[in-house]
Amino acid sequence: MISLKNVTKIYPPNTVALKELTLSIKPGEFVSIVGQSGTGKSTLVKLLIAEERATRGSLEIGGWNITHLSAREVPILRRQIGVVFQDFKLLPQLTAYENVAFALEVAGATSERIRQIVPQVLQIVGLDKQVSRYPRQLSGGEQQRVVIARALAHRPKIIIADEPTGNLDTLNSREIVDVLKKINSFGTTILLVTHNRDIVNLLRRRVIALEDGQVISDHEVGKYVL
Amino acid sequence: MFISLGRAFKFALQQFRRNLWLSIATITLLVLPLVSVNILVGLGAIERAITDGIQDKVDVSVYFKAGVTDEQAQAVRDAVLKLPAVKNVDFVSRDGALARFKERHASDPVILESLNELSENPFGATLAIKAQKISDYPVIMKVLEDPAYGELIEEKNFDDHRVTISRIELIMKNVRSFGVGVAIVFGVIAILIVINSIRVSIYTHRDEIGIMRMVGAGSWFVRGPFLIEAILFSLVAMTITLLIVYPSLNFIQPYLNNLFDGINVDLLRYFNSNFVVIFGGEFLGVALLTVLSTSLAIRRYLKV
C-alpha cells in the first residue's frame, strides 16, 4: 500500500530531515510512527500528502509512484488519503455536518452524494446526534472526531493521523484511538504519527521508530521504546 | 463542472459578504474611473453634436464683383463642385441677390429709393459653399485664392467660424486630455485597491484555503471564487455607475437644451442608442482590469 525506497529529504541549505528511509506498509495495517521532535515524522507525512517533494528516492501509494507528482495530480492523491492533524482545522462558522460536507463540496460531489455520505461518516465517529453543533459547542475529542469524519468523506484507503491526540486529555485520546481502530477494522490503512507513549502501548500494533530521519526499530506488535 | 462553478460562486458570495466593507470600498473605487469614462463619453458626444451643429450653419460665402456675369460665377461654382471636399454649393444670381436685398429691406423706403437711383444692379452673384467636413474649409479657401478666381471675387468670408470651431476643438481637447488623465489615475488606484482587497480576502480565508488544499480541491476551485469575486465587484460597480449616470443625464439634459440653443445635444438619446457599446464595453474593460489585478494578487499571495 505504502512503499518508500531510500527516501532522503534535505531542506536547504543542508538540513537532512529524512535519510535513505525505506519502509513498507501493507493494506489494512495500523502503523504507529513514533519518534522525538525533529526526527522526520512530520516530513514523512508531508511527503505522503505531496506537500513536500523528496530530494532523492521513490514513494509509492497503492502502486502509484508519487515521487514526482504534478501539481494537477496532487488533489487526486489527497482525495485518496484522509488527513487528521493535531490542530483540528475545522471552520468555526460551519456546523459539524457542514464541515464534513465542505470536503465533498470542494471536490465537486453532488448534493445527493453529500446527503448520503455525511450522516454515514458522522455515525462512524459517533457524532450522529451532534451534526448541527458548531465546533465551539463541541469538546476537543468531538472536534477531532469531526475531523476524522471529514477525512473519511472521500472513502480513503489510507488515513494519516499526525499527532491527533496532541491537544486532547487521556480520555478523549483513547476515544480517538478507538475511532481509528474502528475505521481500521473496515480495512482502511491507518498511519498514526505520535509521541504519545500510552496510546502506542495500548494499541499493541506495528510500531516504527524514527531517529535522525532513519528507522531505528520496526516491530509488528511493538511498544514505544525510545 | 456546473456543480463546481455553482459552489465557486457560493464561496465568492461568502467572501464578498464576509469582507463587506472592503468590498464596498473596492467597488467605490471602481465606480470612480467608470464615471470618469462616462463623463468623457458624454463630452465626446457634446463635442460631436456642437461641431455637427456648427458645421450645418457654417459655409463659405463668396461674393463676386458686380461686373462678373452669372455665367462666370456659375463656371466658378462648377469648378468648386468638382472638389471632393465640397458637399454642395448654393448659387445666387445677380438678380437673385438684388431681389433678396429688396425683400430684406422692404420696410425701408429710403434704401429702396436709393437703389432705384442706380442705373444698374450693384450686386454681384454669390456662392454659399458647404464642405463635407469642418476641416475641409481651409482647403476650399485655398482653392478660391487661386488668381484665376481671385480677380472675380470681391469678398469671401469664413474666418469667424473657423476661430469659433478651433476654440471649441481646443477646449474639448483640453477637457478630454484632463478627463483621460483623471480616468487613468482612478484606474491605477482601482487596480491597487483590487489587488489589496483580494490579498485581504485570501488572508481572511486562509483556513478555508488550507482545508480545501488538504481535502483535495483542485487549484482552479481554490482560485475560482477570487476571480468570481472580482467579476462581482465589476458587476456591482457597473450597476452603481448606471444608477449615477442615468439620473445625472436626466438632470442635465434640460440645461444642455438651453445652453446650446439651436443645436440639438440629446445626451440621453445618445447613451440610450449606444447603451450596449458604451456600458457593455465599460463592463468588459472593468472586468478585465479586476480579473487581471486578481490574477496578480493570486499569483503573489495564494499558494495552491
Side-chain angles (χ1 to χ4, degrees), chain B residues 4-5 19 100 112 135 182 289:
Chain B
S4 296
L5 198 65
N19 295 313
R100 276 189 188 180
L112 293 176
S135 54
V182 169
L289 183 135

Side-chain angles (χ1 to χ4, degrees), chain A residues 167-197:
Chain A
N167 282 343
L168 304 177
D169 57 28
T170 310
L171 193 66
N172 277 310
S173 297
R174 288 191 177 187
E175 277 180 14
I176 293 302
V177 171
D178 286 342
V179 170
L180 291 174
K181 280 165 74 179
K182 184 177 171 185
I183 294 165
N184 178 241
S185 72
F186 301 147
T188 307
T189 307
I190 307 284
L191 196 66
L192 173 66
V193 177
T194 184
H195 54 243
N196 187 322
R197 182 182 299 267

Side-chain angles (χ1 to χ4, degrees), chain A residues 51 74-76 78-79 81 83 85 88-94 99 102-111 114 147 150 154, chain B residues 1 3-5 7-8 10-11 14 18 204-223 304:
Chain A
E51 202 174 311
V74 171
I76 300 166
R78 290 185 183 166
R79 284 174 211 171
I81 301 174
V83 188
F85 287 106
F88 309 150
K89 294 191 195 300
L90 289 173
L91 296 172
Q93 72 278 12
L94 301 184
N99 264 290
F102 184 77
L104 291 162
E105 281 181 356
V106 300
T110 61
S111 302
I114 292 170
V147 176
R150 187 178 63 194
H154 292 306
Chain B
M1 167 75 179
I3 291 173
S4 296
L5 198 65
R7 289 195 183 126
K10 187 181 97 177
F11 292 136
Q14 278 175 0
R18 214 176 288 170
T204 50
H205 293 86
R206 61 195 182 286
D207 292 340
E208 277 101 326
I209 293 166
I211 293 166
M212 281 181 183
R213 291 171 56 212
M214 193 174 72
V215 297
S219 63
W220 276 109
F221 190 88
V222 179
R223 291 180 179 131
V304 180

Side-chain angles (χ1 to χ4, degrees), chain A residues 200-217:
Chain A
V200 174
N201 292 340
L202 186 78
L203 274 164
R204 301 195 59 76
R205 302 287 180 99
R206 184 177 169 194
V207 179
I208 298 172
L210 296 184
E211 195 175 282
D212 294 333
Q214 290 178 301
V215 176
I216 56 161
S217 72

Side-chain angles (χ1 to χ4, degrees), chain B residues 32-94:
Chain B
L32 292 177
L34 279 172
V35 169
S36 310
V37 167
N38 280 299
I39 291 172
L40 286 177
V41 170
L43 283 174
I46 291 173
E47 184 193 356
R48 268 191 300 280
I50 293 172
T51 47
D52 286 352
I54 292 176
Q55 199 166 334
D56 275 350
K57 291 180 181 179
V58 169
D59 56 18
V60 172
S61 299
V62 179
Y63 301 97
F64 290 97
K65 290 177 178 165
V68 175
T69 64
D70 284 351
E71 288 72 26
Q72 285 173 303
Q74 278 172 335
V76 175
R77 181 195 66 178
D78 295 342
V80 168
L81 260 176
K82 284 178 188 156
L83 295 172
V86 172
K87 191 174 174 187
N88 64 56
V89 181
D90 281 341
F91 172 73
V92 180
S93 65
R94 296 185 65 201

Side-chain angles (χ1 to χ4, degrees), chain A residues 102 105-107, chain B residues 1 3-19 23 194 197-202 204-206 208-210 212-213 217-234 290-291 293-295 297-298 302 304:
Chain A
F102 184 77
E105 281 181 356
V106 300
Chain B
M1 167 75 179
I3 291 173
S4 296
L5 198 65
R7 289 195 183 126
F9 195 79
K10 187 181 97 177
F11 292 136
L13 278 176
Q14 278 175 0
Q15 286 167 194
F16 189 92
R17 276 203 310 267
R18 214 176 288 170
N19 295 313
S23 301
V194 170
S197 301
I198 299 298
R199 185 178 71 87
V200 173
S201 198
I202 289 169
T204 50
H205 293 86
R206 61 195 182 286
E208 277 101 326
I209 293 166
M212 281 181 183
R213 291 171 56 212
S219 63
W220 276 109
F221 190 88
V222 179
R223 291 180 179 131
F226 294 102
L227 292 169
I228 293 172
E229 192 182 6
I231 294 169
L232 268 178
F233 285 157
S234 312
T290 54
V291 166
S293 311
T294 302
S295 303
I298 287 174
L302 184 62
V304 180

